[in-house]
Amino acid sequence: MKNINKTSIISFGLMLCILMPKLELFSIPGYHQGIRYDDLFLLIGIIYILLQKKIFIHIFPGGRDYFIFFGLIFLNALFSSFMYGPVSILIALRWIEYTIFFMLLFYSSLSQKQIRYFIYFYIIVNLGASILQYYGYMGGIYSHGYIIDGVSGRISGITGGSWELPAILSLFIVPIIADKSFNVLYRLVIISLATIPVYLSGTRTGMIVYFMSVFLSVVIYYRLRILNLIMVGLLGILFVGQSRMEFVMRDNPEVPGSMNVRIGFWTEKFIEMDYIDYIFGKGLGYSGVVLDGMFARTFMDFGVLGLVLYFIYYYRLFRSYKIIGVIAILYSVSLDFFSSSKIMFSLYLSMYYLSMIEKNCLGSLGIPKKNRGSFI
């Protein structure tokens, strides 16, 4: 009974980490992100894991690679803190903290059906919030409070930003499409419901990535069929018709203004780097607490060696979850993908869901557990 209670509490806490808005409980001086509910829950969670008699290597994202990857990042942060202050260590600790969510999934009681129902609920809640925001009846709930002004133009649902909403839905829609344990009509309904908040968010990258997520999932899990192509085609037409995607239809397409701003900021940082910095970077924290563009941030802070390290680690982590990897790559071009707690929680939950689908499929084929592939 005690074990059931513990696993149920962990399951409930994990769902709240994704569902609850980013409301700060305490602020951290000099840092944009304060202490939130999920920070306290994950702190208690890692203490709980460390108190276990046995800790298996498979609970760490990437297995043994995890310790090499994050060990080098934290070591870099320690040295960088002499130049940029404690913010370097805080950034590294945040990235490590998000992985605790992954570990706790193995101590939860979450089933494939429960995760699917949670994603249903999450999509419906964001659909309702998005519609209310679009018509001006509801504001956005961000880290620093509730904001009503200007939200109707860039819909965020209950997430921390208009770009975060489609990113999470792009991740969640992959296992929903892959899960063949429920009626295909329900899958079409869920895809349709998830599409509305993505469209209303007005995020160009979000719409492109969501489209690619649906397209690749349909092709990989259901192959090329006429009905699938029609559905994906209609989705593409819908997004191209969004007002913020009009640059695609111009005779002479131009780089969006927001991307020009990013390129300008990257250039300013780049010209301050020496040749040796191209190899080793200028240290974690040089690019700031948050930088739009994970590839740019990695190069500036860790250099070419850092890019290689990132590629090796995440290639090995995503090799069984290729669509998730594609989503991460596309978002990393213009956004700080791995620094968002909600996105990382959703990414790990989607991977866990996909692993359960694969194991259940193998089980239905009569393949013994000892002959099945591991989660990582």
Side-chain angles (χ1 to χ4, degrees):
M1 189 68 181
K2 290 183 178 179
N3 288 333
I4 294 175
N5 288 333
K6 288 179 182 177
T7 57
S8 298
I9 291 171
I10 291 172
S11 301
F12 182 71
L14 291 172
M15 297 301 96
L16 280 183
C17 283
I18 297 176
L19 193 61
M20 282 190 68
K22 294 181 176 180
L23 295 176
E24 292 184 0
L25 300 176
F26 312 101
S27 60
I28 300 177
Y31 194 68
H32 77 294
Q33 181 177 318
I35 302 297
R36 301 193 296 247
Y37 150 78
D38 47 295
D39 299 314
L40 297 179
F41 173 76
L42 294 176
L43 174 62
I44 296 172
I46 192 62
I47 293 173
Y48 172 77
I49 292 173
L50 293 174
L51 291 176
Q52 302 304 300
K53 293 181 180 179
K54 290 184 179 180
I55 302 176
F56 297 98
I57 194 70
H58 72 273
I59 74 167
F60 298 94
R64 293 180 177 82
D65 294 346
Y66 173 86
F67 298 97
I68 299 173
F69 180 72
F70 285 101
L72 289 173
I73 286 179
F74 190 73
L75 187 63
N76 184 288
L78 286 176
F79 286 107
S80 300
S81 65
F82 291 104
M83 294 181 286
Y84 310 116
V87 68
S88 300
I89 297 176
L90 285 173
I91 294 171
L93 288 177
R94 284 291 188 190
W95 291 346
I96 295 171
E97 176 196 350
Y98 301 157
T99 65
I100 300 173
F101 184 96
F102 180 96
M103 302 174 201
L104 287 173
L105 285 168
F106 294 91
Y107 294 91
S108 73
S109 60
L110 290 172
S111 65
Q112 180 176 328
K113 187 176 182 180
Q114 288 172 332
I115 296 175
R116 185 171 76 242
Y117 283 162
F118 170 76
I119 292 178
Y120 289 172
F121 179 71
Y122 186 85
I123 290 173
I124 292 171
V125 168
N126 274 286
L127 173 62
S130 299
I131 293 174
L132 290 174
Q133 289 170 344
Y134 181 75
Y135 287 104
Y137 296 118
M138 178 180 171
I141 308 173
Y142 306 113
S143 298
H144 304 292
Y146 181 78
I147 300 174
I148 188 102
D149 295 332
V151 175
S152 60
R154 300 298 298 275
I155 306 301
S156 59
I158 61 170
T159 68
S162 59
W163 68 274
E164 197 170 69
L165 175 60
I168 293 173
L169 295 179
S170 297
L171 291 166
F172 279 163
I173 210 66
V174 177
I176 288 295
I177 294 175
D179 191 348
K180 300 179 182 181
S181 65
F182 64 107
N183 193 288
V184 66
L185 180 61
Y186 292 157
R187 286 197 290 275
L188 291 174
V189 170
I190 292 300
I191 293 171
S192 301
L193 294 179
T195 299
I196 296 172
V198 174
Y199 179 87
L200 293 178
S201 73
T203 307
R204 288 179 288 259
T205 302
M207 287 185 279
I208 293 171
V209 174
Y210 181 81
F211 172 81
M212 291 299 298
S213 177
V214 173
F215 173 72
L216 291 174
S217 298
V218 167
V219 170
I220 290 175
Y221 295 111
Y222 297 91
R223 299 180 182 178
L224 289 173
R225 297 175 183 173
I226 297 299
L227 289 177
N228 295 338
L229 292 176
I230 291 174
M231 182 194 71
V232 173
L234 291 174
L235 182 64
I237 293 171
L238 175 68
F239 286 154
V240 170
Q242 221 275 3
S243 59
R244 286 181 56 81
M245 294 290 285
E246 61 180 0
F247 74 97
V248 177
M249 303 303 293
R250 294 174 184 169
D251 294 333
N252 297 309
E254 298 178 357
V255 177
S258 58
M259 195 64 192
N260 280 324
V261 172
R262 291 184 177 95
I263 293 173
F265 185 78
W266 297 342
T267 303
E268 291 176 7
K269 288 287 186 179
F270 178 76
I271 59 178
E272 295 178 8
M273 297 174 68
D274 297 326
Y275 291 113
I276 193 68
D277 296 330
Y278 299 161
I279 301 174
F280 300 103
K282 291 185 73 70
L284 183 59
Y286 168 70
S287 61
V289 176
V290 177
L291 179 72
D292 285 337
M294 197 67 203
F295 289 136
R297 179 195 188 112
T298 303
F299 173 72
M300 292 173 189
D301 289 359
F302 304 111
V304 173
L305 289 180
L307 285 172
V308 172
L309 181 67
Y310 261 75
F311 176 80
I312 293 173
Y313 174 74
Y314 283 108
Y315 172 78
R316 291 168 67 89
L317 181 64
F318 294 144
R319 60 187 170 187
S320 298
Y321 311 96
K322 294 179 176 61
I323 302 175
I324 301 293
V326 170
I327 293 171
I329 289 172
L330 292 176
Y331 261 111
S332 294
V333 173
S334 59
L335 297 167
D336 200 350
F337 186 79
F338 297 110
S339 296
S340 168
S341 60
K342 301 293 185 185
I343 289 178
M344 292 308 296
F345 297 159
S346 303
L347 181 146
Y348 290 139
L349 184 64
S350 298
M351 289 172 59
Y352 188 72
Y353 186 1
L354 286 169
S355 73
M356 297 179 83
I357 293 171
E358 181 182 1
K359 288 177 181 178
N360 288 336
C361 287
L362 292 173
S364 65
L365 294 174
I367 300 176
K369 288 185 178 180
K370 64 181 180 180
N371 292 331
R372 302 179 197 175
S374 61
F375 180 26
I376 47 179

mmCIF file of all heavy atoms in Angstrom, residues 246-255:
data_model
loop_
_atom_site.group_PDB
_atom_site.id
_atom_site.type_symbol
_atom_site.label_atom_id
_atom_site.label_comp_id
_atom_site.label_asym_id
_atom_site.label_seq_id
_atom_site.Cartn_x
_atom_site.Cartn_y
_atom_site.Cartn_z
ATOM 1 N N GLU A 246 2.418 34.714 -44.148
ATOM 2 C CA GLU A 246 2.256 35.301 -45.475
ATOM 3 C C GLU A 246 3.574 35.482 -46.210
ATOM 4 O O GLU A 246 3.612 35.525 -47.445
ATOM 5 C CB GLU A 246 1.553 36.651 -45.367
ATOM 6 C CG GLU A 246 2.320 37.698 -44.541
ATOM 7 C CD GLU A 246 1.583 39.018 -44.462
ATOM 8 O OE1 GLU A 246 0.487 39.109 -45.053
ATOM 9 O OE2 GLU A 246 2.102 39.950 -43.821
ATOM 10 N N PHE A 247 4.688 35.567 -45.467
ATOM 11 C CA PHE A 247 5.993 35.760 -46.110
ATOM 12 C C PHE A 247 6.333 34.577 -47.023
ATOM 13 O O PHE A 247 7.115 34.717 -47.968
ATOM 14 C CB PHE A 247 7.092 35.938 -45.049
ATOM 15 C CG PHE A 247 7.485 34.686 -44.326
ATOM 16 C CD1 PHE A 247 8.598 33.960 -44.729
ATOM 17 C CD2 PHE A 247 6.746 34.219 -43.257
ATOM 18 C CE1 PHE A 247 8.967 32.791 -44.076
ATOM 19 C CE2 PHE A 247 7.111 33.060 -42.597
ATOM 20 C CZ PHE A 247 8.208 32.349 -42.997
ATOM 21 N N VAL A 248 5.745 33.403 -46.752
ATOM 22 C CA VAL A 248 6.005 32.210 -47.567
ATOM 23 C C VAL A 248 5.434 32.378 -48.970
ATOM 24 O O VAL A 248 5.995 31.873 -49.950
ATOM 25 C CB VAL A 248 5.401 30.960 -46.885
ATOM 26 C CG1 VAL A 248 5.596 29.730 -47.766
ATOM 27 C CG2 VAL A 248 6.039 30.740 -45.522
ATOM 28 N N MET A 249 4.314 33.099 -49.101
ATOM 29 C CA MET A 249 3.604 33.218 -50.363
ATOM 30 C C MET A 249 4.055 34.409 -51.198
ATOM 31 O O MET A 249 3.554 34.618 -52.298
ATOM 32 C CB MET A 249 2.094 33.331 -50.091
ATOM 33 C CG MET A 249 1.510 32.161 -49.285
ATOM 34 S SD MET A 249 1.795 30.566 -50.084
ATOM 35 C CE MET A 249 0.759 30.742 -51.546
ATOM 36 N N ARG A 250 4.966 35.212 -50.679
ATOM 37 C CA ARG A 250 5.433 36.383 -51.422
ATOM 38 C C ARG A 250 6.277 35.965 -52.627
ATOM 39 O O ARG A 250 6.907 34.906 -52.632
ATOM 40 C CB ARG A 250 6.257 37.297 -50.514
ATOM 41 C CG ARG A 250 5.454 37.947 -49.388
ATOM 42 C CD ARG A 250 6.381 38.707 -48.455
ATOM 43 N NE ARG A 250 5.669 39.272 -47.319
ATOM 44 C CZ ARG A 250 6.263 39.794 -46.252
ATOM 45 N NH1 ARG A 250 7.597 39.813 -46.182
ATOM 46 N NH2 ARG A 250 5.536 40.275 -45.263
ATOM 47 N N ASP A 251 6.300 36.843 -53.640
ATOM 48 C CA ASP A 251 7.126 36.570 -54.821
ATOM 49 C C ASP A 251 8.607 36.533 -54.447
ATOM 50 O O ASP A 251 9.374 35.745 -54.978
ATOM 51 C CB ASP A 251 6.881 37.641 -55.887
ATOM 52 C CG ASP A 251 5.461 37.571 -56.441
ATOM 53 O OD1 ASP A 251 4.887 36.463 -56.415
ATOM 54 O OD2 ASP A 251 4.946 38.610 -56.890
ATOM 55 N N ASN A 252 8.983 37.421 -53.528
ATOM 56 C CA ASN A 252 10.363 37.466 -53.049
ATOM 57 C C ASN A 252 10.363 37.284 -51.533
ATOM 58 O O ASN A 252 10.373 38.272 -50.779
ATOM 59 C CB ASN A 252 11.041 38.792 -53.415
ATOM 60 C CG ASN A 252 11.147 38.973 -54.916
ATOM 61 O OD1 ASN A 252 11.622 38.085 -55.624
ATOM 62 N ND2 ASN A 252 10.698 40.121 -55.407
ATOM 63 N N PRO A 253 10.296 36.024 -51.076
ATOM 64 C CA PRO A 253 10.229 35.772 -49.631
ATOM 65 C C PRO A 253 11.417 36.392 -48.893
ATOM 66 O O PRO A 253 12.562 36.328 -49.359
ATOM 67 C CB PRO A 253 10.272 34.243 -49.540
ATOM 68 C CG PRO A 253 9.812 33.767 -50.884
ATOM 69 C CD PRO A 253 10.302 34.788 -51.862
ATOM 70 N N GLU A 254 11.139 37.014 -47.760
ATOM 71 C CA GLU A 254 12.164 37.638 -46.945
ATOM 72 C C GLU A 254 12.265 36.938 -45.599
ATOM 73 O O GLU A 254 11.317 36.297 -45.146
ATOM 74 C CB GLU A 254 11.838 39.123 -46.733
ATOM 75 C CG GLU A 254 11.785 39.942 -48.015
ATOM 76 C CD GLU A 254 11.401 41.387 -47.736
ATOM 77 O OE1 GLU A 254 11.136 41.703 -46.557
ATOM 78 O OE2 GLU A 254 11.383 42.175 -48.688
ATOM 79 N N VAL A 255 13.423 37.084 -44.978
ATOM 80 C CA VAL A 255 13.610 36.533 -43.641
ATOM 81 C C VAL A 255 12.745 37.343 -42.679
ATOM 82 O O VAL A 255 12.785 38.568 -42.686
ATOM 83 C CB VAL A 255 15.087 36.606 -43.205
ATOM 84 C CG1 VAL A 255 15.254 36.106 -41.770
ATOM 85 C CG2 VAL A 255 15.952 35.808 -44.167
#
